[in-house]
Amino acid sequence: MTKKELSVRAIKNGTVIDHIPATHLFKVISILGLDKIENQITFGTNLKSKQQGHKAIIKVAKKYFADEDINKIALVAPSAKLNIIEDYQVVEKKVVEIPEQIVGIAKCFNPKCITNNENMTTRFSLVEKSPLALKCQYCEKITNEAHLEVL
């Protein structure tokens, strides 16, 4: 009989965000506002991963994420996977994918863009997934991962 070792404890109900690049763990926590909620949150970083070398994982009890939140995750952790947990079992798996149109979840890096000077919803088109490149539909400037600010 083989011994199975758990690196991070299981949750009864909630969401597990797995395969986050280890260097992006705290970005994901921040953009989802997990530092401001009272739910039980377990996270681990620099866990061994066959695909990534090292990964991070977040388990949030009694919390399920809307599509807008999943799109935010995709912008900073496009390799992430979401598992919906009910009664300790995975009942649904969601693949994180950067959408072709990004609306209202990222800030244009151009300080002269109208979206930074008037109360307007930002709109970007996906130019490239890797490395990330988003084109503002108003000023047409390209925002890359180094300049990305998720709202």
Side-chain angles (χ1 to χ4, degrees):
M1 184 168 146
T2 61
K3 185 177 177 184
K4 200 171 190 184
E5 183 178 316
L6 291 176
S7 296
V8 182
R9 186 178 168 178
I11 58 172
K12 184 174 181 180
N13 296 299
T15 304
V16 175
I17 308 167
D18 198 1
H19 300 286
I20 302 165
T23 57
H24 290 66
L25 171 66
F26 293 103
K27 281 185 186 178
V28 174
I29 289 171
S30 177
I31 64 169
L32 294 176
L34 298 179
D35 53 334
K36 296 174 181 72
I37 66 172
E38 294 188 15
N39 304 49
Q40 176 185 332
I41 300 169
T42 307
F43 65 85
T45 190
N46 295 319
L47 305 171
K48 290 182 183 177
S49 168
K50 291 177 185 173
Q51 297 139 335
Q52 295 174 265
H54 289 90
K55 69 175 183 176
I57 188 170
I58 302 171
K59 296 184 177 194
V60 187
K62 300 176 186 171
K63 175 88 174 143
Y64 304 96
F65 295 97
D67 288 343
E68 180 179 305
D69 290 325
I70 295 169
N71 290 341
K72 288 179 181 182
I73 296 166
L75 290 176
V76 297
S79 60
K81 309 276 186 280
L82 270 74
N83 294 316
I84 308 305
I85 310 296
E86 291 180 8
D87 199 23
Y88 297 104
Q89 300 295 316
V90 176
V91 295
E92 184 180 354
K93 291 180 178 254
K94 293 186 178 187
V95 176
V96 172
E97 191 171 336
I98 302 170
E100 292 296 320
Q101 299 296 312
I102 295 97
V103 179
I105 62 172
K107 182 177 177 180
C108 182
F109 88 99
N110 177 8
K112 294 183 180 181
C113 181
I114 192 168
T115 61
N116 289 319
N117 295 292
E118 293 187 21
N119 189 14
M120 296 184 71
T121 302
T122 60
R123 297 179 183 278
F124 295 90
S125 297
L126 178 63
V127 176
E128 189 71 44
K129 288 184 180 184
S130 184
L132 183 66
L134 307 175
K135 182 178 182 180
C136 178
Q137 291 184 359
Y138 296 101
C139 71
E140 299 189 347
K141 297 286 185 190
I142 303 292
T143 298
N144 61 23
E145 186 175 343
H147 296 102
L148 179 66
E149 187 177 332
V150 179
L151 302 172

